[in-house]
Amino acid sequence: MTERSIHLVQLYPKDMNIYGDWGNTLALKRRLERYGYAVRLSDHDPGDPFPADADLLVGGGGQDSGQFRVQEDLQRIAPELRAMAADGVPLLAICGLYQLLGHEFRTASGEVLPGIGLLDATTAAGPTRLIGNIVLESPEFGTVVGYENHSGLTRLGPGQDPLGRVVKGAGNNGEDGTEGARVHHVVASYLHGSLLPKNPAVADHLIRAAVERRHGSFDAEPLDDTLAERAREAAIARPR
């Protein structure tokens, strides 16, 4: 690894990577390169040795079948993931992986997939899918935009911070106004779309955390996000 490099790891790309979630990995890679950092991109799939030197972790959504395929491996690497999160390693988890970072996910047929307890959240399949454009307000990232498509209804524990409050859309469960969850430098959300290309503030939070932890400081010049801002404006203006 060169002096200015970051090891970016995508978790379970074979099974947990739908609705454009690969775009989050690509956005992080491109922004890191524009900031002047070399990127070593690795995949982690079930059975692979876990890359303990990862600087930044990303995982996406998947069908129930995909969650079943990865959950045993996720339990295997859970101690490392929890330790890395507590040590400040940033992690972005979308939809299906978000659900498995909580305590459990109960499917529509009543089967229970145990989570790893990194987040104080519990998910159960709901009767209908929650689909459409979504806008939320985050105390850390301002206005966050994306597209949700999930049937899981997630309830946060009393001490669990959400990613933000829903302005338009359904969010975690369509009832309590919360969306996603936050702990350490872990960002969990139902927002597909992909999330990061339209939300550079979230991307840069993850990048800053990774770079500062690996290299001690992050003092790169701001990027020109004119195209991202136009995409955000268009997304915000779309009907639900």
Side-chain angles (χ1 to χ4, degrees), residues 11-58:
L11 298 171
Y12 310 120
K14 294 180 180 176
D15 295 295
M16 307 292 287
N17 185 22
I18 59 174
Y19 307 139
D21 288 342
W22 160 249
N24 293 318
T25 302
L26 188 59
L28 289 170
K29 181 176 185 295
R30 291 285 188 265
R31 290 185 77 83
L32 278 161
E33 290 170 344
R34 291 170 68 192
Y35 281 129
Y37 293 87
V39 177
R40 180 158 63 100
L41 178 59
S42 300
D43 292 344
H44 175 82
D45 286 299
D48 291 345
F50 184 70
D53 64 342
D55 296 311
L56 178 49
L57 300 158
V58 185

Side-chain angles (χ1 to χ4, degrees), residues 39-95:
V39 177
R40 180 158 63 100
L41 178 59
S42 300
D43 292 344
H44 175 82
D45 286 299
D48 291 345
F50 184 70
D53 64 342
D55 296 311
L56 178 49
L57 300 158
V58 185
Q63 306 298 327
D64 289 2
S65 57
Q67 292 175 291
F68 275 101
R69 283 194 291 273
V70 307
Q71 66 95 14
E72 182 176 342
D73 188 82
L74 185 63
Q75 293 295 327
R76 176 178 67 88
I77 67 172
E80 292 166 284
L81 286 179
R82 287 192 292 262
M84 292 173 78
D87 193 43
V89 176
L91 190 164
L92 174 68
I94 301 296
C95 199

Side-chain angles (χ1 to χ4, degrees), residues 24-227:
N24 293 318
T25 302
L26 188 59
L28 289 170
K29 181 176 185 295
R30 291 285 188 265
R31 290 185 77 83
L32 278 161
E33 290 170 344
R34 291 170 68 192
Y35 281 129
Y37 293 87
V39 177
R40 180 158 63 100
L41 178 59
S42 300
D43 292 344
H44 175 82
D45 286 299
D48 291 345
F50 184 70
D53 64 342
D55 296 311
L56 178 49
L57 300 158
V58 185
Q63 306 298 327
D64 289 2
S65 57
Q67 292 175 291
F68 275 101
R69 283 194 291 273
V70 307
Q71 66 95 14
E72 182 176 342
D73 188 82
L74 185 63
Q75 293 295 327
R76 176 178 67 88
I77 67 172
E80 292 166 284
L81 286 179
R82 287 192 292 262
M84 292 173 78
D87 193 43
V89 176
L91 190 164
L92 174 68
I94 301 296
C95 199
L97 189 63
Y98 164 30
Q99 295 168 350
L100 294 180
L101 294 190
H103 299 300
E104 67 175 33
F105 169 50
R106 186 176 296 273
T107 71
S109 60
E111 296 173 284
V112 176
L113 283 78
I116 67 170
L118 180 55
L119 300 170
D120 186 9
T122 302
T123 302
T128 58
R129 296 196 69 83
L130 306 175
I131 303 173
N133 295 303
I134 178 170
V135 178
L136 53 136
E137 286 296 327
S138 162
E140 295 176 280
F141 308 120
T143 302
V144 177
V145 300
Y147 188 86
E148 60 182 335
N149 184 353
H150 58 102
S151 60
L153 305 179
T154 296
R155 306 283 177 182
L156 303 181
Q160 177 63 65
D161 290 328
L163 171 60
R165 306 291 301 185
V166 174
V167 176
K168 177 174 65 179
N172 281 333
N173 51 60
E175 296 179 355
D176 65 11
T178 66
E179 204 293 320
R182 284 279 290 113
V183 67
H184 306 303
H185 292 302
V186 177
V187 177
S189 175
Y190 275 112
L191 272 60
H192 296 282
S194 310
L195 171 64
L196 295 184
K198 291 195 293 291
N199 297 281
V202 182
D204 282 352
H205 172 86
L206 299 168
I207 288 171
R208 176 178 291 277
V211 172
E212 287 183 344
R213 181 177 176 276
R214 173 60 65 184
H215 299 293
S217 64
F218 178 72
D219 53 6
E221 292 294 322
L223 299 180
D224 179 356
D225 284 320
T226 301
L227 292 178

